[in-house]
Amino acid sequence: MAKPITKIIKLQVPAGKATPAPPVGTVLGPAGINLQEFCTKYNDATKDKMGDILPVEISVYEDRTFDFVIKTPPTAFLIKKVTGIKKGSTKGSKELVGKLSQAQLKEIAEIKLPDLNAYSIEEAMKIVAGTARNMGVEVEEN
């Protein structure tokens, strides 16, 4: 029989850099899980993606054990990384701060496809393009 889950915690933590200090410690401490154990497992699982910010979903069980699932990086983070901009526009699509080619758009969509509500790469590209436009990043047409 499966162990009953008492809490599901969602965090965004830099890959390979989880520490028991805040913000990780302040969120996971009250849940009663071993902070050092989580940090060690998370850092080992994400050391190949150093520098990326990865969302993680932690399931805490009644006996204070836990499992976690690492998701793909946020779309906005990937767009900023690929285009080389520091942050998105404060005025949305009215102020352009960067450009994204179709090849770059497809690359981001392929990374995000497992976590998106899309069945094909073309649908995923439309979702990523919408996020890019809202950030003030122009998407080049074919």
Side-chain angles (χ1 to χ4, degrees), residues 44-64:
D44 289 344
T46 60
K47 65 181 167 224
D48 58 325
K49 296 180 178 96
M50 284 295 250
D52 290 0
I53 294 175
L54 301 175
V56 60
E57 192 171 284
I58 307 157
S59 301
V60 183
Y61 300 105
E62 260 183 8
D63 61 355
R64 294 190 175 173

Side-chain angles (χ1 to χ4, degrees), residues 122-133:
E122 289 77 23
E123 291 171 352
M125 286 172 68
K126 287 180 183 178
I127 294 170
V128 172
T131 303
R133 273 193 296 279

